[in-house]
Amino acid sequence: MRVVRPKPLTKTAFARFGEVIETDGAGSFVINDGKATRFHDLAGVDVGAQGGRPAISIFRAKPTSLPFDIAMFERHPLASQAFYPLSGRPWLVVVATDDAGRPGDVEAFVASGTQGVNYARAIWHHPLLALDEVVDFLVVDRVGDGDNLQEFRLDAPCRLES
Amino acid sequence: MRVVRPKPLTKTAFARFGEVIETDGAGSFVINDGKATRFHDLAGVDVGAQGGRPAISIFRAKPTSLPFDIAMFERHPLASQAFYPLSGRPWLVVVATDDAGRPGDVEAFVASGTQGVNYARAIWHHPLLALDEVVDFLVVDRVGDGDNLQEFRLDAPCRLES
C-alpha cells in the first residue's frame, strides 16, 4: 500500500496546490490609526465562473487519527475553496496532482492551528481531516448553479501515517 | 455624554446592519459521507461593485477595555466586510444607523468568541474592538480600485460602558 507521511505545511511546499492562509511571512500594513495590522489579501477567491458568487460558511468536521486510509479525492472545477481552523489546533491537508483527470501523486501536510489553506480551482483534495476532536472551519467558497464537484474513488487506498 | 451599553449579539438585533456568522440557528446539511456538517452560506459577500474582487485577509487587533470613548465611525460604500474572531474570546461590535450621510443612532453588541459579523455595504461601524488581549480576525472584504472608505469623526464622543 502506498504510504504518505504528512510534512509541515509551508507556502513553498503548497504553492502548486493553492495558498497557505497565515500571517507568518505575509505582507501587512497598519490600519485603524495604529490599532490593527492588516495581513493583506492572503488568498484569492476565484468563484465567479458560470455566475458563481462567494459565500462564507462554517464546516464542522468530525475528527480522525493516524494511520488513516485515503480512499477518495474530490475537486471543484469551477472555484477555489478556502478553509481556516477555528480551534487553534493542528489539522491535516491532503492533496494530489492531476494525472489525466484522476488524482496522481499524493502529498500530505500538517497545518498548524494558525494556518488555513485555499485550494486553487480544480485541485484534488481530501475532505477535511480534523485531529483528535471536532473542529469548526470557516470556509469561503462558491455558491451557484453548475457542476462544481467531482469525486474520484481510488483503486487502492493510500495510507497516511505519522 | 451619550452612553451606550453593549447588548448580546443576536441575528435579530443585528439584522438591519448585516449578518451574524454563527452556527447557532443556521441552516445546515451533512457533507463528506457524514464526516462533516456544512452551516451554509452564513453571509453574503457583496464586493463586486466597480470591479472589486473578494479577498481573505487577517486583521490583528490590539485590545481595548471598557469604558471606551467612541470618537469615529467608518463605512465601506462599495462592499460588505466580514470579521470572524480566531481567539475564541468575546469582542465588541459597534454600529450606527445612517442619518443623512452621518452616523446616527449608535448600537453596541458583545459578540461571543464563536460569532462573527458581516457588515452590509455602507453600514457605519467602529473599527475592530478586541477585549483584553490581541486578537486575530479572519476578514473577507473587497480588493480593487474605487473609493471604498468613508470616515466620520463625531462632534462629541459616545461612551461605551459595560
Side-chain angles (χ1 to χ4, degrees):
Chain A
M1 181 184 281
R2 193 159 44 151
V3 170
V4 173
R5 298 182 198 282
K7 301 172 291 191
L9 181 64
T10 66
K11 286 183 171 72
T12 303
F14 193 71
R16 61 178 171 158
F17 303 109
E19 293 140 323
V20 178
I21 303 169
E22 62 180 341
T23 57
D24 285 2
S28 69
F29 47 90
V30 170
I31 57 173
N32 300 350
D33 289 334
K35 300 295 196 321
T37 301
R38 180 178 176 124
F39 298 90
H40 181 61
D41 200 5
L42 305 176
V45 179
D46 170 21
V47 299
Q50 297 184 24
R53 64 171 177 83
I56 299 172
S57 299
I58 292 176
F59 285 14
R60 179 163 293 163
K62 293 180 181 172
T64 190
S65 58
L66 298 185
F68 178 83
D69 287 352
I70 300 288
M72 60 81 70
F73 282 91
E74 65 178 37
R75 65 176 179 175
H76 307 295
L78 300 181
S80 62
Q81 188 177 39
F83 294 91
Y84 197 96
L86 300 176
S87 65
R89 296 180 58 85
W91 57 293
L92 296 175
V93 173
V94 183
V95 287
T97 59
D98 182 69
D99 181 6
R102 326 165 35 130
D105 294 335
V106 176
E107 289 204 48
F109 301 93
V110 183
S112 79
T114 57
Q115 288 181 314
V117 300
N118 186 40
Y119 297 117
R121 190 202 288 219
I123 289 295
W124 291 110
H125 59 276
H126 192 272
L128 278 175
L129 289 173
L131 292 169
D132 302 327
E133 60 184 48
V134 171
V135 174
D136 284 358
F137 291 81
L138 203 73
V139 179
V140 181
D141 64 1
R142 177 186 184 275
V143 168
D145 294 335
D147 185 6
N148 192 30
L149 175 63
Q150 294 178 357
E151 292 176 306
F152 190 93
R153 207 152 288 275
L154 301 181
D155 300 330
C158 163
R159 178 155 292 177
L160 212 56
E161 284 186 2
S162 60
Chain B
M1 182 185 281
R2 194 160 42 149
V3 170
V4 174
R5 297 182 199 281
K7 299 173 291 190
L9 181 65
T10 65
K11 286 184 172 71
T12 304
F14 193 71
R16 61 178 170 156
F17 304 107
E19 294 140 325
V20 178
I21 302 169
E22 62 180 342
T23 57
D24 285 2
S28 68
F29 46 90
V30 170
I31 57 171
N32 300 350
D33 288 334
K35 300 293 198 321
T37 302
R38 180 178 176 123
F39 298 91
H40 182 61
D41 200 3
L42 304 176
V45 180
D46 170 20
V47 300
Q50 296 184 24
R53 64 172 177 83
I56 299 173
S57 300
I58 292 176
F59 286 14
R60 179 163 293 162
K62 293 180 181 172
T64 190
S65 59
L66 298 185
F68 178 83
D69 287 353
I70 300 288
M72 62 83 69
F73 282 91
E74 64 178 37
R75 65 175 179 175
H76 307 296
L78 300 181
S80 62
Q81 187 177 40
F83 294 91
Y84 197 95
L86 300 177
S87 66
R89 297 179 57 84
W91 57 293
L92 296 174
V93 174
V94 183
V95 287
T97 59
D98 182 70
D99 182 5
R102 326 164 36 127
D105 295 334
V106 176
E107 289 204 48
F109 301 94
V110 182
S112 78
T114 56
Q115 288 181 314
V117 300
N118 187 40
Y119 298 117
R121 191 202 288 219
I123 291 295
W124 291 111
H125 59 277
H126 192 273
L128 278 176
L129 289 173
L131 292 169
D132 301 328
E133 58 184 49
V134 171
V135 175
D136 284 358
F137 291 81
L138 203 73
V139 179
V140 180
D141 64 0
R142 177 187 184 276
V143 168
D145 293 336
D147 185 7
N148 192 30
L149 175 62
Q150 293 177 357
E151 292 177 306
F152 191 92
R153 207 150 288 274
L154 301 181
D155 299 330
C158 164
R159 177 155 293 176
L160 212 57
E161 282 186 3
S162 60

